[in-house]
Amino acid sequence: QGQLVESGGGLVQAGGSLRLSCTASRTIFSSTMAWYRQAPGEQRELVASVTSGGITRYADSGKGRFTISRDNAKKTVYLQMNSLKPEDTAVYYCNYFLSPASWGLGTQVTVSS
């Protein structure tokens, strides 16, 4: 199934920015890729997705603030997060949207007020 390794999280003040990366051990070339997040006590939710052709979609919570992108050659998906809010605090994961692989460990994003 391959592995997914997320990175780039951290502690940031409200209004700040972070860029998350997710590198896959197998190709992402023809796959829709997605970022998800899970806050404590909450279910995992979809944050953004990008198709193999570069079409992006966002959950309402991230529209206008988050940008998902991909580099197929590097097998890497990115999530640029700007104007972060405390409610963005969560563990962020990426995965193949249609045929999910085993979940990685995620990367913790903590936004302080």
Side-chain angles (χ1 to χ4, degrees):
Q1 256 188 332
Q3 290 183 317
L4 298 157
V5 179
E6 300 91 351
S7 62
L11 174 63
V12 64
Q13 289 187 333
S17 298
L18 285 172
R19 189 193 193 204
L20 308 184
S21 299
C22 169
T23 300
S25 62
R26 61 181 176 91
T27 183
I28 65 169
F29 182 79
S30 61
S31 300
T32 295
M33 300 299 294
W35 280 97
Y36 302 81
R37 68 185 184 186
Q38 187 168 20
E42 302 289 334
Q43 289 190 335
R44 190 172 290 155
E45 63 176 358
L46 178 66
V47 174
S49 65
V50 56
T51 69
S52 57
I55 297 173
T56 58
R57 292 183 178 174
Y58 300 91
D60 288 344
S61 58
K63 282 181 181 177
R65 300 188 299 125
F66 295 176
T67 303
I68 188 171
S69 60
R70 61 193 292 157
D71 185 331
N72 292 335
K74 295 181 178 179
K75 296 182 287 186
T76 298
V77 186
Y78 304 97
L79 186 68
Q80 176 68 43
M81 304 189 296
N82 299 326
S83 302
L84 283 162
K85 305 175 182 179
E87 50 263 45
D88 294 319
T89 295
V91 179
Y92 284 71
Y93 305 86
C94 74
N95 215 324
Y96 299 83
F97 182 70
L98 294 178
S99 301
S102 297
W103 293 94
L105 296 178
T107 186
Q108 175 72 48
V109 172
T110 303
V111 184
S112 63
S113 57

